[in-house]
Amino acid sequence: MTATATSTPAAEASAAPTQLTMAGALNAALRDAMAADDRVIVYGEDVGPLGGVFRVTDGLQAEFGDQRIWDSPLAESGIIGTAVGMAMYGMRPVVEMQFDAFSYPAFEQMVSHVAKMRNRTKGRVTLPMVVRIPCAGAIGGVEHHSDSSESYWASTPGLTVVMPSNPADAYSMLREAIDSDDPVVFMEPKSRYWSKAPLALPVTTAPMDRAEVVREGADVTLIGYGPTVRTALEAAEAAAAEGLSIEVVDLRSLSPFDDETVGASVRKTSRAAVIHEAAQFGGYGAEVAARVTERNFHHLAAPVLRIAGFDIPFPSPKLEEYHLPTADRVLAALDTWEWDA
Amino acid sequence: MSLNVEHASVRTLPSEKPLRLLDNAGHAVTGSATGGFGLPDTETLLELYRKMVVARRFDVQVTALTKQGRLATYPSAYGQEACEIGAVAALAAEDWLFPTYRDSIALLTRGIEPADILQSFRGDWHNGYDQHAHRTAAQATPLATQALHAVGLSHAARLRHDPIVALTFLGDGATSEGDAHEAFNFAAVWQTPTVFVVQNNQFAISVPLERQTRAATLADKAVGYGMPGYHVDGNDIAAMYAVTSAAVERARSGGGPTLIEGVTYRIEAHTNSDDPTRYRAARDVEHWKRRDPIERLEKFLVSEGALTEAMRTEITDAAEALAARTRDVMTTEAELDPLELFDHVYGRERAALLEQRAALEAEIAAGAFASHEGAAR
Ligand SMILES: Cc1ncc(C[n+]2csc(CCOP(=O)(O)OP(=O)(O)O)c2C)c(N)n1
């Protein structure tokens, strides 16, 4: 749960908090968005009667009918390319890529059209669409089911890229993404789909372009997003036992990057490390480290660290535990700093 | 989706010989070669003739301006007027067009101003016209990508119960792209009101059709998707107009998509930076010049007594006036604001972009680009 998660007055009146998974929160967000605006349509592979391979669209076709949510042919470029046309016509398509590594056939549509349409037309044509991408590993997926594609999208001007780490944010950020007039790449960390939190819906958390301090601390800022927020919190918990006070920042938004929140935290702690599952080389952590350093160099007592996956293709299920950043690795990395210097 | 109520498979093979209503000598064709399509009325043909003459003049003018260095690039459609205009003329004003870089004269036919069409080719901005006002998407450069946009838009219109059709142009080379396949398939499965017009101008830059496909015709591909396909003489505007009109009508009334192949030829180079002598023989170009779409219709209209000298003069004058206007706008320097670079990336303000904008503003104020001012164009 993010610190600022709040319920709207209407929800407080109606619903008592119930345990909700992130998948359930996303499902509720889609349902509420579709009910609120009939321009919101949902399609992708297996999103209809099956409810999506992660059941995020469970029950929606029964509720809204097959002209609001339907199974498309099996073709990712086709899904994104047709969504461009639908958004041009004023619909608000929310399309699903079944798994991160299967979004690559749509790369051209994403980069050449989704990202650039507003710009090439001087703002005359906008694309209010959301591309939902289940991402990252730690679910024992076989080859091509555990990629981390966030840097490809985040380094593409014109795309907004967000990744919630908990059910409350998942609900609130998806609603906001659907309401956005700009295209949003909405990345859903698969390993967090079944994480639970007590929630009274609808819930509105911080704006989706803001990072959040999810644990206060004085000595180190750990920056995570999506699946690694939990890793950061675990590391902070373990470090506290040894007398080290770690502050954890959940980025929530990868593009734009919230320099303000991150900067304020780093200036307070004077030390920062970023954690992600994707390979380190040229990865998102490089951007974080560079930005934090450029803007806060004189407040830093040590170089910004990256704790990331190895620079290898995502491993097989039985080997992924060796690859993924763990709390222990985070703590070991922090030990490489010269703390007395 | 339940929108496609009946699941009617389409098995008819397109004709082996291209459909035509006027032969190369401008005589009306009879019999099976017409595929059952009727010749449009004379008034319509006169209007199509006028549009082709004006478009040809525009195309020639822009090619000349490109050679003078006024444009960065221009992909000419000289010789393809019947495909471009025959197809576009079949659309109603509320229908949408999804064109490629090749289709500037189709844009002209839709009433878009020369300055706005050419803005991207001369390097001022990527897309200059109001897409919604003209129901014309930006000219797409990544091949076949726009076909999916056409499918999506026309499907959205159908979901909204708006009787709107989207027509998209593709080149013969573009039919090899995955997006062409995905567009054909999505359109057929969803039964969207989409018309695909493949302009088979024989070459993809330097690569001839036989290196793109083993299919007997590109229209044959329609069969595999379960939609009607038509193999049409693309230099016969009467046939292009008649076949496209029928496809638009079928799409509008819920009959789903159609694939039309117009067999034509690109007389000019691919763009100004291309050297066509490396990949095609002069005699082939001469052969196709003798099959000119404008001359063909002109012969017919003259033999019918429909095209008078007075009309011809009036049309030529209109074409010359447009050419003059095109020259004028292309020799006038556009006012460009470099700070606008940052204005249309996101709808919401972004701190990082505001910072970069301020940095560029400071550079400009400090005279960093003073020597470039005016010279960049
Ligand atoms: C996806 C993609 N690949 C390559 C290119 C480079 N390119 C531009 S035009 C062209 C040939 C296209 O030929 P065709 O589809 O027959 O259309 P034509 O130019 O003849 O109208 C190529 C290869 C491109 N624009 N897009």
Side-chain angles (χ1 to χ4, degrees):
Chain A
M1 276 291 289
T2 51
T4 57
T6 54
S7 307
T8 65
E12 273 164 5
S14 60
T18 49
Q19 287 288 324
L20 209 62
T21 61
M22 182 189 275
L26 292 166
N27 178 268
L30 286 173
R31 174 176 290 106
D32 292 353
M34 291 179 83
D37 184 347
D38 70 0
R39 296 170 303 171
V40 177
I41 50 175
V42 173
Y43 62 98
E45 295 158 11
D46 306 291
V47 299
L50 180 67
V53 292
F54 293 105
R55 305 292 182 269
V56 170
T57 55
D58 193 24
L60 296 181
Q61 194 177 61
E63 194 169 334
F64 294 99
D66 63 6
Q67 297 189 31
R68 299 285 306 283
I69 166 163
W70 67 93
D71 290 327
S72 74
L74 215 171
E76 290 73 17
S77 192
I79 292 169
I80 302 294
T82 52
V84 168
M86 295 203 212
M88 281 178 73
Y89 200 75
M91 305 295 249
R92 304 185 88 88
V94 184
V95 295
E96 179 174 303
M97 300 280 97
Q98 199 156 64
F99 283 86
D100 32 43
F102 306 133
S103 63
Y104 303 145
F107 201 74
E108 186 191 40
Q109 286 288 348
M110 291 293 292
V111 170
S112 296
H113 293 297
V114 175
K116 291 179 180 161
M117 190 65 84
R118 175 186 283 274
N119 185 249
R120 59 206 284 253
T121 65
K122 280 200 178 185
R124 287 206 192 97
V125 180
T126 56
L127 298 179
M129 56 187 276
V130 177
V131 181
R132 293 183 35 245
I133 309 182
C135 67
I139 59 158
V142 293
E143 206 184 6
H144 309 301
H145 289 74
S146 300
D147 268 27
S148 296
S149 55
E150 66 266 23
S151 338
Y152 308 142
W153 313 126
S155 71
T156 303
L159 296 179
T160 295
V161 185
V162 302
M163 196 187 301
S165 70
N166 61 72
D169 277 347
Y171 178 91
S172 179
M173 290 165 75
L174 184 53
R175 291 296 306 270
E176 193 180 338
I178 294 170
D179 286 342
S180 162
D181 287 332
D182 284 324
V184 178
V185 178
F186 194 90
M187 308 201 70
E188 301 170 2
K190 292 185 280 271
S191 62
R192 307 298 289 147
Y193 269 139
W194 303 281
S195 67
K196 282 188 180 165
L199 267 190
L201 295 180
V203 63
T204 305
T205 64
M208 70 177 180
D209 58 357
R210 302 300 295 190
E212 287 236 63
V213 175
V214 292
R215 178 189 170 110
E216 302 261 355
D219 302 329
V220 181
T221 298
L222 277 184
I223 302 161
Y225 54 85
T228 60
V229 173
R230 179 174 55 181
T231 319
L233 289 170
E234 280 167 17
E237 198 65 37
E242 295 171 22
L244 185 67
S245 169
I246 290 183
E247 177 148 310
V248 176
V249 176
D250 179 351
L251 278 185
R252 301 168 84 250
S253 172
L254 305 192
S255 175
F257 181 85
D258 182 356
D259 289 294
E260 216 176 297
T261 303
V262 175
S265 174
V266 170
R267 285 192 293 277
K268 181 173 93 176
T269 62
S270 77
R271 291 172 192 262
V274 52
I275 319 169
H276 60 67
E277 288 190 12
Q280 183 175 84
F281 189 86
Y284 189 77
E287 178 66 27
V288 175
R291 293 185 86 87
V292 167
T293 307
E294 278 171 356
R295 284 155 200 257
N296 308 285
F297 182 71
H298 295 294
H299 299 271
L300 285 172
V304 178
L305 295 176
R306 291 174 290 164
I307 300 102
F310 299 129
D311 295 334
I312 58 170
F314 198 88
S316 301
K318 290 187 176 159
L319 295 169
E320 68 178 336
E321 64 167 311
Y322 298 98
H323 170 73
L324 294 170
T326 57
D328 282 347
R329 278 197 186 145
V330 173
L331 295 174
L334 301 190
D335 275 344
T336 66
W337 278 327
E338 287 181 33
W339 282 90
D340 303 330
Chain B
M1 291 202 59
S2 65
L3 277 177
N4 51 339
V5 254
E6 74 236 53
H7 185 90
S9 306
V10 174
R11 284 196 178 278
T12 341
L13 266 179
S15 63
E16 211 169 308
K17 288 195 76 171
L19 298 180
R20 66 169 57 143
L21 303 178
L22 292 177
D23 69 15
N24 197 34
H27 299 311
V29 172
T30 52
S32 64
T34 65
F37 290 96
L39 200 61
D41 60 51
T42 308
E43 206 177 313
T44 303
L45 289 175
L46 271 172
E47 190 49 34
L48 293 173
Y49 173 78
R50 159 189 261 279
K51 288 184 157 80
M52 284 202 290
V53 171
V54 172
R56 163 86 47 98
R57 184 67 189 90
F58 171 78
D59 195 280
V60 168
Q61 181 62 68
V62 180
T63 298
L65 286 165
T66 310
K67 286 176 180 155
Q68 295 162 21
R70 288 281 162 193
L71 288 95
T73 193
Y74 179 67
S76 164
Y78 193 115
Q80 300 181 214
E81 293 85 355
C83 268
E84 299 267 355
I85 292 162
V88 167
L91 294 175
E94 66 269 22
D95 292 333
W96 271 78
L97 173 68
F98 285 79
T100 77
Y101 53 83
R102 177 80 57 215
D103 311 318
S104 298
I105 60 172
L107 270 55
L108 188 73
T109 312
R110 292 228 101 193
I112 302 177
E113 280 298 309
D116 293 341
I117 298 170
L118 298 174
Q119 206 172 53
S120 67
F121 293 123
R122 80 165 173 174
D124 294 347
W125 198 269
H126 301 306
N127 170 236
Y129 45 90
D130 185 332
Q131 297 190 22
H132 286 285
H134 296 284
R135 301 280 215 269
T136 301
Q139 290 179 275
T141 302
L143 298 169
T145 53
Q146 78 287 352
L148 281 165
H149 307 166
V151 174
L153 183 134
S154 54
H155 189 58
R158 192 151 167 253
L159 290 172
R160 287 261 161 237
H161 307 291
D162 298 336
I164 283 172
V165 175
L167 183 148
T168 182
F169 284 117
L170 296 144
D172 42 299
T175 62
S176 301
E177 290 279 0
D179 274 10
H181 158 68
E182 295 188 25
F184 298 158
N185 192 49
F186 272 63
V189 172
W190 291 353
Q191 287 288 287
T192 61
T194 319
V195 179
F196 303 100
V197 177
V198 175
Q199 298 194 69
N200 173 6
N201 67 3
Q202 320 276 340
F203 287 93
I205 307 187
S206 67
V207 182
L209 182 68
E210 62 266 25
R211 300 238 166 231
Q212 298 294 346
T213 184
R214 290 290 282 189
T217 77
L218 293 173
D220 281 12
K221 294 188 181 240
V223 180
Y225 296 103
M227 65 174 150
Y230 293 94
H231 184 217
V232 182
D233 182 334
N235 283 14
D236 174 8
I237 195 164
M240 283 303 300
Y241 177 79
V243 173
T244 314
S245 297
V248 167
E249 199 32 58
R250 181 172 44 249
R252 203 185 305 287
S253 58
T258 302
L259 174 59
I260 299 167
E261 173 191 5
V263 182
T264 181
Y265 196 80
R266 159 167 61 72
I267 299 292
E268 277 281 350
H270 171 71
T271 66
N272 47 310
S273 43
D274 172 38
D275 175 10
T277 63
R278 282 170 172 256
Y279 56 82
R280 64 186 192 184
R283 65 171 182 282
D284 289 346
V285 183
E286 287 313 312
H287 169 80
W288 279 94
K289 276 187 177 166
R290 289 193 296 275
R291 302 163 62 90
D292 189 89
I294 299 182
E295 284 172 24
R296 185 186 305 198
L297 181 56
E298 188 172 295
K299 283 179 199 156
F300 174 76
L301 290 172
V302 169
S303 72
E304 293 285 295
L307 183 65
T308 63
E309 262 324 299
M311 273 178 190
R312 224 201 275 250
T313 311
E314 187 266 323
I315 292 173
T316 314
D317 288 351
E320 286 307 324
L322 179 79
R325 198 143 56 83
T326 306
R327 282 194 302 274
D328 284 350
V329 293
M330 284 302 113
T331 46
T332 316
E333 294 296 345
E335 287 284 328
L336 293 177
D337 175 8
L339 295 179
E340 199 183 356
L341 284 172
F342 302 96
D343 290 351
H344 312 293
V345 186
Y346 298 97
R348 275 193 200 193
E349 276 189 355
R350 276 202 178 200
L353 283 188
L354 291 177
E355 281 173 28
Q356 291 170 12
R357 186 183 200 278
L360 178 60
E361 193 170 13
E363 275 187 295
I364 292 169
F369 298 94
S371 61
H372 296 269
E373 254 155 47
R377 300 174 293 268

